[in-house]
Structure formats: structure tokens, C-alpha cells
Amino acid sequence: MHFSQIKGHQETRQLLINSVRQNHVAHAQLFLGQEGSANLALALAYATYINCEDKQPHDSCGTCSSCVKMNKLVHPDFNFVMPVTSTKSITKDVLSQKFLTEWREFVLGNPYQGLNEWMQYIGAENKQGAISKEESRQLVKLVSLKAFEGDYKIVLIWLPELMHPFAANALLKLLEEPPAKTLFLLVSQSAEKLLATITSRTQIVQVRAFTEEEVIAYLQENHSLDQTAAYQIAQLAEGSLNAATKLTSEISSDYFSFFTDWMRNCYTYKFDKVVDSSEEFQKLGRENQKNFLLYALNLFRKVMLYGVDESLITFLPSNELDFVQKFSKVITQANAGQLAEELNQAHYHIERNANPKMVFVDSSIQIAGYLRNAN
């Protein structure tokens, strides 16, 4: 993995590169970010840069012997520890090392996936993954050896918050007395679940969520989506590329057009068209219905923000901007909360398998009343 393969995060990239170039590499670093963020990708790119034999000002060279091995995740000085569990093929002595082939395929395929995807990938069925106490012995063994080729031996621990207490205490001892030329890169989504003594002994690299623009660019490049589809997914993904990837197979219609038609019909009391739209809403299927209502809530939030101060909206396609400008004129302090609550209630009922046509028509009647009262 190279920094150039990661969308955005220029500030974090430069921070990591500078630490290497200035020889200020902390022996233990905690890459903290939500699921679907760039925390694992940045840790991989950082490890690649550290052992690169021909470091460039802004990235690893990508062609030296170290980079070639790192790109395949087979560098002898780069080790992994991750949550695992027993499967049909591995029933005992369940350790990370036995899952390295699957792990490499999983990460190289998409470094933005989460624990559920990893468990499914290894065929864990409904079992929970964890970093067992037996893993601590393997960890001590890993760091007792000197680096074979690179400047550093690197141990990347994915989701250390899932460590058994015994393993966590073994890691703590290693962090207190770090072996020479050994780096620990912890990639976490929930630092509050880690031992405070572990967190205090790491240098925290806070990894922000992806911006909407970065999610859009990723979807266009990796999933060949047009800007409209990519933008609508970005509204729902909340900065997670894992969520965005899942949504590419869930969204099957133009949410924006459906929403604007819906609001216009409500505003003009065209309930015959509302009933027709309820038929279309039902055809979406439950997941699409839920996603549409979340999209509607997100767009409605932007309408409210625009009404307060248009500078609060940093990015909108031209067609949505035109709608937001016009729709914001009928949103008042009196009806804003009511409209948002109605959309929330609709999502609540759909999630609990209520009849989608009834939910849609009932919400439409309520929304129409709130919009009419704005005049």
C-alpha cells in the first residue's frame, strides 16, 4: 500500500512521512478511526514507507525489493495480529499466523472493510473474532527476532480492542520495554476499549472520516459510478468507504428525483400522485426504503442548514443546490422539527416491517400539513 492510493488525508500522510524523514518514529503508534476510515490503509502505507529502500519526498518508491514484498504483504519483517476464531478448516490452535493467506487476500482486496466482513471471509459463521491469550506467546516470539532485511521489524495489530486481557497485558509489557528496532502499529476503531495503560504508551494518529468528495472520487474510480449515484451514496456512507461499498449494491434508484417529486406533491396536495409514488416506494424493497429515508433526512438537514447560513453547506451538486435554495424558503422554526421527526418515524416503522405503502402515504399527509402551515 502506498500513500498515493489513499484518497485525501494529505495532512496525516505528511505527518507520518515527516516522522520518518526526521527520524522521530515512535515505537508504538495507535491509528484511531471509525470502521471504513483510512486507519488500516495509512498504517500499511506508513509501514511500506518506513522500510522502503529509496524513499521519495511524498511516498515510497514502489519498485525496490522491500516495496515489492510490502505490496504483496509478504515482507519477512512485517507481521500481523488480527482477531480470529475457529473455522471448519482451522479447529484448534487458532492463531493469526494460520490465517495469513486469507488476511493478505482480504486486505489487498479492500483495506477499508470491517470485522464482520473479515469473519465472513474466513467462514466464521456466527462466531465472534478475538485476539486470544495464546496469541501473546506468538507476539513475544515475533519481536524476539531481529529484522531480516529492513530497518525495523514491524508488528501491525488490527483491532487491538478485541484482545483477551492476558494478551493485552503481554502487549503492555512489550510496550513498556520495547525491543530494539521494533515498531508496533495498532489499528483501532474503539480506543476506549483498550487498556488505558496501553493507550498512554502509544502515539495516537487520529484518522478522520472520509469527506463526501473523497467518497465520491473513490466510488467513481473503484466502482465506475456516475457522479449522481456516487453522491447519493456518499450522503449515506457517513465517511465510511466500507459502508459506501456495501451501498453500491443496495441503491437501485435515483433518490434525489424521487425525494423532490415527493416533496412537490406533498406541498401541492397532489395525493393522487402521492398514492402512485407509494407504489414505487413499495417496489424499492426494505433496505432501499430505509436508505432512501436516511438520504431524505440528510438532504433535509442540508436544507435547514442552508436556511440558517448557506456557507454551512460546503458541497452540493448544482441540481441539489437549486432544490435546497427553493425548499429552504418553506422550512421554518415551527415546522423543521416536525418534518425531521416525521421522516425519523417513517424510518423507524419501515425498520420494523410496517406496510411501506401505508407508512409512505401517512407520512405524506403529515408532511403536507406541515408544509402548508409554513405559508
Side-chain angles (χ1 to χ4, degrees):
M1 192 89 195
H2 303 284
F3 288 117
S4 60
Q5 295 174 275
I6 304 169
K7 289 295 175 191
H9 296 279
Q10 296 290 347
E11 66 290 345
T12 308
R13 289 197 224 176
Q14 202 55 54
L15 179 72
L16 295 171
I17 289 170
N18 288 344
S19 72
V20 179
R21 297 186 73 84
Q22 296 168 8
N23 200 26
H24 291 157
V25 177
H27 77 279
Q29 300 182 47
L30 175 62
F31 288 74
L32 181 60
Q34 68 178 42
E35 181 180 304
S37 70
N39 55 354
L40 177 57
L42 284 167
L44 292 170
Y46 183 52
T48 302
Y49 190 77
I50 285 172
N51 276 337
C52 176
E53 298 164 8
D54 185 21
K55 297 177 181 64
Q56 303 299 301
H58 303 294
D59 212 339
S60 45
C61 72
T63 57
C64 69
S65 174
S66 175
C67 284
V68 169
K69 292 172 185 175
M70 288 294 293
N71 288 340
K72 297 177 182 178
L73 302 182
V74 294
H75 197 292
D77 297 322
F78 192 30
N79 304 278
F80 295 99
V81 175
M82 78 292 290
V84 292
T85 188
S86 59
T87 64
K88 290 180 179 179
S89 58
I90 300 175
T91 57
K92 61 180 182 179
D93 298 326
V94 180
L95 296 170
S96 298
Q97 297 302 305
K98 293 190 176 184
F99 292 86
L100 281 180
T101 298
E102 292 87 348
W103 173 252
R104 290 177 181 126
E105 293 170 350
F106 177 77
V107 173
L108 291 173
N110 182 353
Y112 306 109
Q113 298 180 90
L115 178 64
N116 286 340
E117 288 74 32
W118 170 234
M119 290 293 103
Q120 290 173 19
Y121 196 83
I122 62 176
E125 298 175 343
N126 294 322
K127 296 176 184 176
Q128 298 295 312
I131 298 174
S132 66
K133 60 181 180 181
E134 289 78 14
E135 199 81 61
S136 61
R137 299 187 185 93
Q138 185 70 17
L139 189 59
V140 172
K141 186 178 178 181
L142 278 175
V143 300
S144 66
L145 303 172
K146 292 183 179 180
F148 289 98
E149 298 177 10
D151 292 334
Y152 291 94
K153 175 172 283 298
I154 303 173
V155 179
L156 188 151
I157 304 176
W158 188 57
L159 304 184
E161 57 267 31
L162 297 180
M163 275 188 160
H164 184 280
F166 192 92
N169 283 311
L171 174 62
L172 175 60
K173 186 172 182 181
L174 289 172
L175 297 183
E176 288 174 336
E177 302 172 8
K181 289 292 185 177
T182 300
L183 301 181
F184 293 93
L185 304 181
L186 281 60
V187 179
S188 173
Q189 296 168 5
S190 305
E192 68 277 4
K193 295 180 181 178
L194 285 170
L195 291 177
T197 44
I198 288 180
T199 306
S200 66
R201 284 166 174 76
T202 63
Q203 178 175 291
I204 297 178
V205 180
Q206 192 75 47
V207 181
R208 62 168 173 77
F210 285 96
T211 65
E212 286 184 1
E213 293 91 330
E214 290 164 355
V215 174
I216 290 168
Y218 175 83
L219 291 171
Q220 288 180 308
E221 290 182 20
N222 293 274
H223 296 278
S224 302
L225 297 183
D226 60 38
Q227 186 172 31
T228 299
Y231 175 73
Q232 292 186 13
I233 289 174
Q235 300 296 290
L236 300 171
E238 297 183 340
S240 166
L241 292 190
N242 188 33
T245 299
K246 292 178 185 177
L247 286 165
T248 58
S249 61
E250 293 178 9
I251 292 180
S252 59
S253 61
D254 184 349
Y255 288 169
F256 175 66
S257 297
F258 192 87
F259 178 76
T260 53
D261 288 343
W262 184 28
M263 291 299 104
R264 289 188 182 106
N265 291 333
C266 289
Y267 183 72
T268 55
Y269 270 43
K270 294 180 179 177
F271 290 111
D272 56 331
K273 292 186 176 180
V274 166
V275 173
D276 291 340
S277 295
S278 71
E279 298 280 356
E280 295 301 314
F281 183 71
Q282 179 163 279
K283 292 176 184 176
L284 291 176
R286 193 163 73 95
E287 288 307 310
N288 246 326
Q289 291 160 2
K290 288 162 55 182
N291 286 334
F292 166 72
L293 290 168
L294 289 175
Y295 170 81
L297 275 164
N298 189 286
L299 185 55
F300 182 69
R301 179 182 64 84
K302 292 187 175 181
V303 171
M304 290 191 291
L305 287 173
Y306 187 90
V308 174
D309 182 355
E310 60 185 76
S311 66
L312 294 173
I313 306 300
T314 57
F315 174 72
L316 272 178
S318 57
N319 60 338
E320 290 201 10
L321 178 60
D322 180 63
F323 171 78
V324 166
Q325 289 172 332
K326 294 175 180 176
F327 197 47
S328 65
K329 295 175 183 178
V330 298
I331 304 302
T332 66
Q333 278 189 325
N335 67 12
Q338 296 169 321
L339 290 164
E341 179 60 23
E342 189 58 43
L343 290 171
N344 270 312
Q345 283 296 313
H347 184 273
Y348 174 86
H349 292 305
I350 291 297
E351 199 167 38
R352 281 151 186 79
N353 292 316
N355 184 293
K357 287 179 66 176
M358 291 180 64
V359 170
F360 187 86
V361 173
D362 181 65
S363 293
S364 300
I365 294 170
Q366 298 299 324
I367 290 170
Y370 298 143
L371 293 177
R372 180 60 63 93
N373 292 336
N375 296 328

